[in-house]
Amino acid sequence: MIRRVLVIAATLFALAAPAAGAYSHFGEQVGTQVLTQHWPTSLLPINLSVDGGPTNLVGEIITATSQWNAVTTARAPWGAATLAATDFDKNNLGTAWGDLSGDGRHEVVVDEDGSIITALGLAPASVNGMGITGGALHAGELEINDMYLLINGSRTNFDRQATEVHELGHTLGIAHSSLGFVTGQDGALAPPTDPQVPTMFPYSISTTDRRTLEADDRAALSELYPAANGSFTTTLGTITGTVTRCGSGDPVLGADVRAIKVDDPAVQLTRITGFDGHTDGSYTINGVPPGEYFVVVEPLGGDDDYLERLPIFTRVDTDFSQEFLNATEGDCAQDTDPDVKDSVQVGASGIKVADFEVEGASLALVIDVTGSMGPELTGLKIGLDAMISGLEATASNFPRTAIVTFDDASQLRIVSRDPDKLRDVINNLTTHSTADCPEGSNRALMTAGRQLGAGGVAVLVTDADSHRTGPRREAVESFYRSKGARLNTMLSGSCPPEQNPPRSRPRSARLATGTSPDEPRPEQTLGVENAVRTFAEESLVTGGLFSFQPAIKSGTADAQTRYADTLANLGISAMRPAVALVNPSTAPQGTTLEVELTGSGTGFRAGSTVAAGSGVTATVVRVLSPTRLAVRLTVAPGAGPGFRDVSVSTNRGDGTIEVANGIGALQVVGAPAGPTVLAVTPSTGAAGTTEDVTISGGATHFAAASVAALGPGVTVNHLTVTSPTSAVANVTIAPGAAIGFRDVTVQTGGETAGETVPGPFLVIAATPAVARLTRAAPAAG
């Protein structure tokens, strides 16, 4: 991106604020107007003085300028490029070159040793080049009257010709284009490929694709400098319209609208709603070559590295689903499939109206379909079918639901309110093998997150680590929290270390905030990380739920039932008050244990009562929060074995009773064969905290001399025994304790009580002590 300097009222200052995004032009809001930067036509064509140092770029610059001069619907902006007699370097900056006061000299500079780029506070190892302009506010116009182009001559591992074309575009007042936002993004509808992205794509790419102008580049130039013969408006068409919300008709701003030529997808153009300062959700794409087009609207969210480089002069709404324009656009109840599209015909000088009505999904099911999920597949289908049935029975308006499946990549299968259509997709799911264990789960979560509306919930079902080249935890957490969305995770495994080896090369360093030269996209990826670490934190940080169910791999009927019921509860509780989890979910006959009951959307309070069927007495011990209860279960020796629905009744105080149910949330099993740790409540503890946890045992003989251990990084300060089967441990979790499950044991003389389930104590990341700023717009000023 260009670093712009304008002279306003004879005062120099940096225009770092995002510009008006007109596919895109640099600009500023002056009063109620959004003004775009441009050269006065009286200063065109612009002659260039090319660095007379060791590297001769004259030939390359002539080739680069010819790309812009060849646009027939625009004035030719560039004149001659001649070799200067001077070697432009750091020492003669501001004298021989780089004076931006409008001196009539426009230089191309080669930084032979990286010293100029270093002096500007940037990194020569990653900066390819940058274009700088100067100008003034004159007669109500932001007029550019000076420029220079800086090219990094200290490295050769980039396409210098593409950088020259790109940065010359910046010095003309053309900013980065939003076309290409979905390049490399999983689940996008008709994503552009590298050869289809415009020259003004924000990041350099490894090919030579940015050397030539695309339709989006040509439109950007022609709108700033239309040809004198008027061909821009007489030979090219326009697509215009609004993006509004279903039902309310409220405008959606910062939405990217992309036109794709049906017979030649390389022809694509975009505009962002609100690009011109209007707040009615409108957009206008000029410069559209005649032909038939598909039009798609997509939320710009979940990729801060990209978004920060776009010239967006508006708020950015991301709480809607990506979709194509189609004939049912005016009927949101019928417009349920984002892939259904109808084309529009654009003629020369014609104007085509394409209005969108959009809404976000309330629920997203994110499903791993790799071969290792074979044992889960049946339980998954049963659980999701039960979830759909449960929501049908209790919701007058079935939630708009997205289904995203993934292996290394992700695919948006459907966005619909129709339960039968959702069942069809689920029932037809099959698994297939991939080359390695890590899967594209975090990528899929970003795909799903882009479909969710404000306050939506994603349910992730997987048995593997997230791929090390995928998005970081922080990116997922930040995106979900930015729209108040939550993540519920059903995890049933992780990758063995040999299938998720450490990366062989280090991550690239990020450039300092505020720098915006042409550079490779910064590499910000997850790296090697265990699935429990990744998804427990993402779920809990976003306010969601996390369940670890590795027993499904055993293939037993009980494990499959527990898996299906838990998944159904995670889905139902995302949409209405329900019991989502009971931890642990098994209660042996003839025991008393304290469990943690977790609801969602509930209002638990003092006086809430719990029922778990015949032979099980449930007493609320503590109300931990409106969604969490510590409950003492006493299971009679003769209690019938099997799965029990669990319900919590809460008097709201307004004459109504809230009843939250959990399908098969508790299983009564046979009495323990020997001393066993049955439960730890609470079942999670944050690194860096000290708290009391209750340890429940079966067939144990806890006594004053008992000693408890909760694994590495967890110190038991003291243990208070309250009965032969119950004790309270005061524990301190070290700030640097590894995130993950801990085995729990209690030693009483020669008696050792261990457990038969994972953990059962989970060390989680510390909750941020203060609120975190996840995004600011505009990003500079």
Side-chain angles (χ1 to χ4, degrees):
M1 187 188 289
I2 189 171
R3 178 176 289 173
R4 295 146 286 158
V5 181
L6 290 189
V7 181
I8 305 292
T11 302
L12 284 171
F13 69 96
L15 275 182
Y23 26 50
S24 303
H25 300 138
F26 290 123
E28 278 299 324
Q29 184 163 359
V30 179
T32 59
Q33 291 183 297
V34 174
L35 305 179
T36 56
Q37 296 179 34
H38 61 90
W39 290 77
T41 55
S42 61
L43 296 182
L44 301 181
I46 306 161
N47 294 318
L48 297 173
S49 177
V50 182
D51 197 331
T55 304
N56 188 337
L57 291 184
V58 172
E60 291 182 19
I61 296 302
I62 291 174
T63 300
T65 56
S66 68
Q67 289 293 323
W68 294 103
N69 287 343
V71 178
T72 59
T73 53
R75 295 177 185 268
W78 299 110
T82 58
L83 189 67
T86 305
D87 181 1
F88 301 143
D89 59 24
K90 184 184 72 172
N91 297 321
N92 55 29
L93 169 60
T95 54
W97 68 279
D99 180 355
L100 293 175
S101 63
D103 62 359
R105 295 181 299 167
H106 313 300
E107 303 91 0
V108 176
V109 183
V110 181
D111 186 0
E112 301 284 358
D113 58 5
S115 60
I116 300 173
I117 293 173
T118 300
L120 293 173
L122 305 178
S126 59
V127 172
N128 302 334
M130 55 197 306
I132 312 294
T133 60
L137 177 61
H138 176 257
E141 298 286 337
L142 288 174
E143 293 184 350
I144 305 171
N145 59 22
D146 214 334
M147 59 77 67
Y148 67 81
L149 171 63
L150 178 64
I151 295 296
N152 190 344
S154 67
R155 52 191 283 266
T156 58
N157 58 344
F158 69 99
D159 185 353
R160 190 166 67 192
Q161 183 77 79
T163 293
E164 291 158 358
V165 178
H166 176 93
E167 293 300 329
L168 284 171
H170 282 327
T171 63
L172 293 171
I174 303 173
H176 288 148
S177 172
S178 59
L179 175 57
F181 171 77
V182 291
T183 299
Q185 302 284 9
D186 294 307
L189 299 177
T193 60
D194 279 358
Q196 295 167 341
V197 301
T199 288
M200 302 315 295
F201 182 73
Y203 290 102
S204 65
I205 52 182
S206 59
T207 63
T208 60
D209 295 320
R210 290 197 312 170
R211 289 186 175 188
T212 57
L213 303 186
E214 304 299 330
D216 204 66
D217 303 309
R218 294 190 289 271
L221 180 70
S222 301
E223 189 160 294
L224 281 180
Y225 312 104
N229 61 10
S231 58
F232 180 55
T233 55
T234 59
T235 64
L236 301 172
T238 296
I239 299 175
T240 188
T242 58
V243 181
T244 57
R245 297 187 185 278
C246 290
S248 68
D250 292 338
V252 177
L253 300 181
D256 193 49
V257 182
R258 180 160 51 100
I260 307 167
K261 200 165 190 287
V262 175
D263 61 356
D264 184 6
V267 178
Q268 300 194 25
L269 301 93
T270 61
R271 273 281 169 96
I272 297 171
T273 59
F275 73 94
D276 52 3
H278 293 168
T279 59
D280 58 356
S282 60
Y283 71 93
T284 299
I285 307 174
N286 292 317
V288 182
E292 193 176 359
Y293 286 82
F294 295 129
V295 188
V296 62
V297 61
E298 49 211 5
L300 295 173
D303 191 339
D304 287 347
D305 285 328
Y306 192 104
L307 199 59
E308 287 168 1
R309 283 178 163 256
L310 294 183
I312 298 175
F313 196 72
T314 179
R315 75 168 190 261
V316 179
D317 296 329
T318 63
D319 55 343
F320 65 94
S321 299
Q322 180 188 25
E323 63 179 74
F324 278 108
L325 185 78
N326 61 60
T328 63
E329 202 58 51
D331 186 348
C332 292
Q334 297 299 316
D335 186 15
T336 61
D337 188 340
D339 272 314
V340 172
K341 51 186 177 288
D342 293 299
S343 61
V344 297
Q345 189 71 37
V346 179
S349 74
I351 298 176
K352 192 68 179 181
V353 176
D355 294 329
F356 286 91
E357 290 186 68
V358 298
E359 62 181 331
S362 300
L363 179 65
L365 306 176
V366 189
I367 303 168
D368 186 342
V369 291
T370 56
S372 61
M373 288 288 290
E376 287 89 338
L377 188 60
T378 298
L380 184 152
K381 293 181 177 181
I382 293 171
L384 292 181
D385 184 75
M387 179 206 75
I388 292 172
S389 297
L391 293 176
E392 277 185 301
T394 58
S396 58
N397 188 17
F398 194 87
R400 182 175 169 94
T401 301
I403 297 179
V404 174
T405 57
F406 68 93
D407 43 31
D408 286 336
S410 62
Q411 179 182 357
L412 177 61
R413 293 293 190 96
I414 190 173
V415 181
S416 180
R417 292 185 184 277
D418 188 331
D420 290 333
K421 289 183 178 180
L422 297 172
R423 284 192 179 96
D424 285 344
V425 173
I426 292 166
N427 290 335
N428 286 308
L429 291 178
T430 57
T431 59
H432 59 272
S433 297
T434 54
D436 55 6
C437 178
E439 308 301 346
S441 40
N442 269 2
R443 291 191 184 101
L445 287 175
M446 298 302 267
T447 296
R450 293 185 184 97
Q451 312 308 317
L452 288 174
V457 180
V459 178
L460 170 67
V461 188
T462 186
D463 70 339
D465 301 346
S466 184
H467 208 286
R468 55 189 173 275
T469 61
R472 298 168 300 151
R473 269 183 291 104
E474 294 84 355
V476 175
E477 294 163 8
S478 175
F479 185 40
Y480 275 61
R481 293 178 67 180
S482 72
K483 55 172 52 180
R486 292 174 287 143
L487 170 63
N488 292 345
T489 298
M490 172 80 100
L491 178 66
S492 53
S494 60
C495 298
E498 66 272 14
Q499 292 193 40
N500 193 9
R503 296 147 54 92
S504 59
R505 56 192 177 92
R507 301 178 186 180
S508 301
R510 294 195 69 183
L511 295 180
T513 301
T515 61
S516 50
D518 190 41
E519 61 181 340
R521 188 167 183 151
E523 186 181 9
Q524 304 215 20
T525 54
L526 178 67
V528 177
E529 189 170 271
N530 181 272
V532 172
R533 171 73 167 94
T534 304
F535 304 124
E537 179 172 328
E538 289 175 351
S539 299
L540 299 176
V541 166
T542 60
L545 305 169
F546 175 76
S547 179
F548 190 42
Q549 298 283 337
I552 186 65
K553 298 296 188 182
S554 69
T556 66
D558 281 355
Q560 189 173 96
T561 299
R562 184 181 303 114
Y563 186 88
D565 289 346
T566 303
L567 180 55
N569 291 332
L570 287 177
I572 293 171
S573 66
M575 294 293 100
R576 63 171 175 82
V579 173
L581 298 170
V582 176
N583 193 8
S585 60
T586 57
Q589 296 167 325
T591 64
T592 296
L593 66 158
E594 187 173 306
V595 302
E596 185 175 1
L597 185 152
T598 303
S600 184
T602 53
F604 299 156
R605 61 175 67 177
S608 293
T609 59
V610 179
S614 175
V616 179
T617 302
T619 305
V620 176
V621 178
R622 295 181 303 280
V623 178
L624 303 174
S625 76
T627 59
R628 293 170 60 229
L629 296 173
V631 179
R632 181 179 298 112
L633 299 179
T634 300
V635 185
F643 290 89
R644 311 289 189 90
D645 291 349
V646 175
S647 65
V648 181
S649 299
T650 303
N651 190 329
R652 292 177 178 269
D654 59 1
T656 63
I657 304 295
E658 173 191 278
V659 179
N661 291 313
I663 301 169
L666 181 70
Q667 182 186 11
V668 174
V669 297
T676 306
V677 171
L678 301 177
V680 177
T681 308
S683 58
T684 60
T689 62
T690 297
E691 57 187 290
D692 289 337
V693 297
T694 298
I695 301 174
S696 299
T700 56
H701 301 84
F702 296 162
S706 294
V707 177
L710 277 75
V714 182
T715 300
V716 179
N717 301 315
H718 54 81
L719 184 70
T720 302
V721 174
T722 56
S723 78
T725 60
S726 180
V728 177
N730 180 264
V731 301
T732 297
I733 306 171
I739 307 304
F741 283 104
R742 299 294 194 278
D743 292 336
V744 178
T745 60
V746 178
Q747 188 74 35
T748 307
E751 174 187 284
T752 301
E755 83 300 311
T756 59
V757 296
F761 188 70
L762 176 62
V763 174
I764 61 175
T767 303
V770 296
R772 292 189 296 182
L773 178 65
T774 58
R775 178 164 174 76

